Amino acid sequence: TQDTRGDGIIHSMFDGYIPYKGAIERNEKGALISLESGKATAHALGPLEARGRLFIEPGELVYPGMVIGESARGSDLDVNPCKEKELTNVRAAGKDDKVKLAPPVRMSIEQCITYVREDELIEITPKRVSIRKMHDAKERKRRARDAKNAKNR
């Protein structure tokens, strides 16, 4: 399928029931996980967009462990969406280009339920529905290392 980046329209029609075919295969892509808390900046999100689909837009508040996007690779990636542009007195032509981002993917509660993985939680507030990791970055790295060591034994 082709990703429409927020510009697509979908229509569906119920066709009927079929016999049970087994468990639904899940797309096991990794997550882009925030390392910092604060407001996400366009300067930081621009390069992250090349690494996967984003669930947030510039100006949104993020916190450590929040899933801010879907990684194009199969592994999770810890990122800093709050990185500010360095201010200098030197001006160069073309250096201050505005970052153009695709519209973020907004998921409903139902979509989050189908998307969430075993090590993630769904957070529901009056203003947004978001996904977060159960453990912080250090704990995730420790668990991955322990699982790798157990596998090698």
Side-chain angles (χ1 to χ4, degrees), residues 57-149:
E57 59 189 356
E60 283 191 47
L61 292 174
V62 296
Y63 51 86
M66 180 177 176
V67 176
I68 63 162
E70 179 182 63
S71 175
R73 297 185 178 159
S75 60
D76 291 343
L77 185 62
D78 293 313
V79 297
N80 181 3
C82 303
K83 184 176 170 185
E84 294 283 340
K85 186 173 185 177
E86 290 184 29
L87 300 176
T88 65
N89 289 333
V90 179
R91 301 288 179 251
K95 187 102 171 148
D96 295 330
D97 292 337
K98 282 199 162 202
V99 177
K100 292 189 178 183
L101 299 171
V105 175
R106 298 292 185 192
M107 290 194 281
S108 66
I109 295 171
E110 293 81 9
Q111 290 170 318
C112 284
I113 290 171
T114 60
Y115 182 85
V116 73
R117 294 188 297 174
E118 295 167 359
D119 64 337
E120 296 171 344
L121 300 170
I122 300 173
E123 292 187 334
I124 303 169
T125 66
K127 293 188 178 183
R128 79 170 154 196
V129 177
S130 60
I131 300 172
R132 69 165 289 120
K133 289 292 185 178
M134 285 186 197
H135 307 289
D136 65 355
K138 288 180 183 177
E139 178 69 14
R140 287 194 308 274
K141 286 178 183 177
R142 186 186 66 76
R143 286 174 178 258
R145 184 181 62 241
D146 291 348
K148 184 179 177 183
N149 290 340

Side-chain angles (χ1 to χ4, degrees), residues 4-21:
T4 62
R5 301 273 182 176
D7 295 329
I9 299 172
I10 188 168
H11 173 76
S12 64
M13 184 181 292
F14 179 72
D15 190 33
Y17 292 101
I18 59 172
Y20 181 68
K21 301 241 181 197

